[in-house]
Amino acid sequence: MQKQAYDEISKEQVKNWDKKYLWHPFTQMKDFAREEPLIIVDGEGVILRDINGKKYIDGISSMWCNIHGHRRKEIDDAIKGQLDKVAHTTLLGMSNIPSAKLAKRLVEITPDGLNKIFYSDNGSNAIEIAIKMAFQYWQYKGHKKKINYVSLQYGYHGDSLGAVGVSGIDIFHAVFKPLLLKTFISPSPYCYRCPEDKDKATCSLECLGKLEEILSKNSDTIAAMVIEPLVQGAGGMIVHPQGFLSGVKDLCEKYNILLIADEVMVGFGRTGKMFACSHEDVAPDILAISKGLNGGYMPLAATLATDEIYNAFLGKHSEQKTFFHGHTYTGNPLACAAALANIDIFENKKVIEGLDPKIEALQERLEQFRDLKSVGNARQCGLIAGIELVRNKETKEPYSWEEKIGIKVSYEARQRGLIIRPLGNVMVVMPPLSIEISELNNMMDILYESIESVTETS
Ligand SMILES: *Cc1c(COP(=O)(O)O)cnc(C)c1O
């Protein structure tokens, strides 16, 4: 890391420029402009350092994408090496070495049957592509009425209009309603607030019954089901009960509907396996990946499809059967080189094999959080956790939106050297997989103290 933080003059300048010119994503700029901005200068491993020289643990993996830590030499070198060859060339009608190599690697490491890769540059696009692919597939197969989708309540699949159309988080999406696709929303298996009022002992996955009702009535108009396997991320780190995903897969097969697995967040080891689908031996028809794909270095995404889907697009020139999609930076060689280095680290350092002790450590630490007065539920899947804060533990009464409880806890944590970002009243824990157990303990200490100080002293 650089020894010095920014000098005083440039420091003030940068803060002013940020406030004056930058429009931040998902941010109320009126509030933001009043606060001292957090501006990162550099980082190493799980630590980020701001413009004032203060250090923080990156508890959100820089928005859920960093995997092996910052300034990871192998990935740095891979990008530098490719930069000495060529930074970008197009995949439209031609190819480049890193994108072809990466395509082969991805087919090898993803669930069986996904043999074709379509690149793009972010998770929303990976889903947009999946949705268009599914639609076009059915058109070519002669099922012209299959134009709708099914997804889960609280699902999040990105911000482009197609992706918003299959998402189920009202607060983000209500405003765009008039512009969106027709989507059937099935209940989320959100066990802490079970839609069927069951608990672990009485649950027999009734929520799958609701999905079956939708499918049995509408399967002739439904192209695909879109799902975040195992954990619904932006919806509040909702961890699904075992058997839900495979149940969904069975229903999709029964009703002749494609399954689109959105592993944009859960892919690349977050759940303890390379891909979440593998926990239940599910092979989707289409898989979307992005965030962890190149270790959190550069914008890159991929949509993988089966031969069955790919083959439906083959035909004579005169048939004009083409997948009508593509971006300027599709298959960018720098991003693909970084992704190859990312996968190499997984293999060379046996990253997945080394996760168990970390996952257990997180589990132990979460146990202690459950004693806090305001912690209604602390749920975990792999190295992902969601800690849901409630006003009343008995009744599960949530804190009201106006109380900004998640934001207050995050702000407190930031003062104490931890970057986290809440989802409403849910505190999200998602460190890089490379976090050491001692760092994980530091992170959980800070989070515990921050929750305690915000919710028990006011
Ligand atoms: C983040 C996310 C997306 C969208 O990815 P972007 O790169 O932000 O467009 C889609 N699906 C899931 C599950 C995500 O977590």
Side-chain angles (χ1 to χ4, degrees):
M1 263 192 241
Q2 255 173 271
K3 283 219 175 55
Q4 268 177 302
Y6 269 32
D7 64 58
E8 291 302 317
I9 296 168
S10 54
K11 197 158 87 182
E12 286 314 308
Q13 252 177 4
V14 171
K15 286 182 195 169
N16 289 337
W17 290 338
D18 183 85
K19 286 194 176 174
K20 193 161 173 201
Y21 300 114
L22 238 173
W23 192 347
H24 289 265
F26 281 113
T27 302
Q28 175 43 258
M29 294 308 295
K30 204 167 170 178
D31 292 342
F32 190 82
R34 278 198 291 264
E35 284 162 20
E36 175 74 11
L38 172 57
I39 299 174
I40 300 300
V41 176
D42 53 25
E44 193 160 6
V46 300
I47 303 297
L48 292 173
R49 196 171 64 135
D50 76 6
I51 203 163
N52 301 312
K54 183 173 163 69
K55 291 180 180 174
Y56 306 86
I57 299 172
D58 184 359
I60 53 165
S61 296
S62 291
M63 217 50 237
W64 313 349
C65 62
N66 190 284
I67 298 282
H68 307 298
H70 297 278
R71 299 287 313 280
R72 187 67 188 219
K73 189 173 184 321
E74 297 93 321
I75 307 179
D76 290 0
D77 288 348
I79 296 171
K80 288 175 191 162
Q82 181 59 35
L83 205 45
D84 284 336
K85 299 189 176 101
V86 65
H88 182 67
T89 62
T90 182
L91 281 198
L92 272 68
M94 47 200 272
S95 198
N96 64 66
I97 293 171
S99 70
K101 271 192 180 169
L102 178 62
K104 174 175 183 288
R105 288 295 281 284
L106 288 175
V107 167
E108 287 164 359
I109 66 171
T110 48
D112 285 348
L114 298 163
N115 291 335
K116 302 291 173 186
I117 310 278
F118 197 97
Y119 290 117
S120 57
D121 19 70
N122 59 67
S124 309
N125 262 328
I127 291 295
E128 203 75 22
I129 288 162
I131 292 170
K132 286 175 71 177
M133 236 175 219
F135 167 81
Q136 237 183 306
Y137 166 78
W138 288 119
Q139 293 297 304
Y140 289 156
K141 283 286 187 181
H143 294 263
K144 304 272 185 202
K145 287 193 300 186
K146 279 177 152 326
I147 61 172
N148 301 324
Y149 297 84
V150 194
S151 58
L152 295 182
Q153 187 185 11
Y154 313 122
Y156 178 80
H157 302 288
D159 295 332
S160 55
L161 285 174
V164 173
V166 295
S167 295
I169 305 180
D170 272 356
I171 181 134
F172 296 163
H173 302 136
V175 62
F176 297 112
K177 260 225 156 90
L179 305 181
L180 304 178
L181 291 168
K182 172 154 184 201
T183 298
F184 298 95
I185 301 286
S186 191
S188 163
Y190 180 5
C191 299
Y192 176 58
R193 299 180 187 278
C194 174
E196 301 287 323
D197 256 335
K198 303 278 176 173
D199 56 33
K200 210 164 185 173
T202 58
C203 165
S204 49
L205 297 177
E206 282 78 2
C207 30
L208 283 174
K210 296 281 176 192
L211 176 61
E212 180 151 21
E213 263 176 49
I214 294 173
L215 298 187
S216 65
K217 278 194 209 132
N218 306 288
S219 65
D220 56 334
T221 67
I222 295 175
M225 161 109 196
V226 189
I227 186 174
E228 294 161 86
L230 263 58
V231 187
Q232 289 182 265
M237 297 304 151
I238 298 168
V239 178
H240 293 174
Q242 208 181 347
F244 185 77
L245 177 64
S246 52
V248 167
K249 171 69 183 167
D250 291 346
L251 288 174
C252 287
E253 270 175 21
K254 181 170 172 191
Y255 291 99
N256 202 24
I257 282 160
L258 297 178
L259 179 65
I260 300 173
D262 178 353
E263 293 224 21
V264 170
M265 178 190 83
V266 290
F268 293 91
R270 296 276 174 208
T271 66
K273 289 189 192 270
M274 197 63 168
F275 294 98
C277 282
S278 317
H279 287 272
E280 302 202 1
D281 281 325
V282 164
D285 300 290
I286 300 179
L287 173 74
I289 51 178
S290 180
K291 289 187 169 99
L293 173 56
N294 59 24
Y297 264 66
M298 299 177 75
L300 180 68
T303 306
L304 289 87
T306 57
D307 290 324
E308 164 65 20
I309 292 174
Y310 176 83
N311 289 338
F313 288 74
L314 301 178
K316 292 199 210 77
H317 184 74
S318 56
E319 291 177 276
Q320 296 190 319
K321 275 185 175 179
T322 299
F323 183 45
F324 295 106
H325 197 102
H327 298 284
T328 310
Y329 285 98
T330 294
N332 173 259
L334 292 174
C336 290
L340 282 163
N342 175 50
I343 297 168
D344 281 342
I345 299 173
F346 268 105
E347 286 173 10
N348 297 340
K349 304 286 177 191
K350 301 206 180 330
V351 169
I352 299 289
E353 294 83 338
L355 287 178
D356 281 352
K358 300 179 188 185
I359 293 170
E360 274 163 35
L362 179 59
Q363 200 173 342
E364 273 168 34
R365 294 305 307 259
L366 286 173
E367 201 49 59
Q368 166 204 11
F369 279 69
R370 295 188 179 107
D371 297 336
L372 283 167
K373 251 189 2 226
S374 59
V375 173
N377 186 231
R379 41 189 182 257
Q380 178 191 9
C381 178
L383 265 188
I384 303 170
I387 300 170
E388 183 164 338
L389 305 178
V390 289
R391 170 155 284 290
N392 182 328
K393 226 164 158 159
E394 291 302 308
T395 63
K396 304 185 181 177
E397 181 200 344
Y399 282 100
S400 71
W401 183 251
E402 295 78 21
E403 285 173 283
K404 291 187 175 175
I405 201 76
I407 294 173
K408 284 181 189 157
V409 172
S410 302
Y411 194 74
E412 185 68 29
R414 190 190 288 183
Q415 309 307 310
R416 295 166 191 255
L418 168 65
I419 295 174
I420 44 170
R421 198 182 147 83
L423 294 162
N425 297 333
V426 178
M427 304 313 302
V428 175
V429 177
M430 188 159 342
L433 302 185
S434 63
I435 194 167
E436 301 284 345
I437 288 184
S438 60
E439 294 168 324
L440 189 135
N441 280 324
N442 277 344
M443 173 177 77
M444 295 309 274
D445 284 342
I446 296 176
L447 184 55
Y448 186 93
E449 289 158 15
S450 304
I451 294 175
E452 194 177 37
S453 107
V454 169
T455 63
E456 300 199 358
T457 56
S458 57

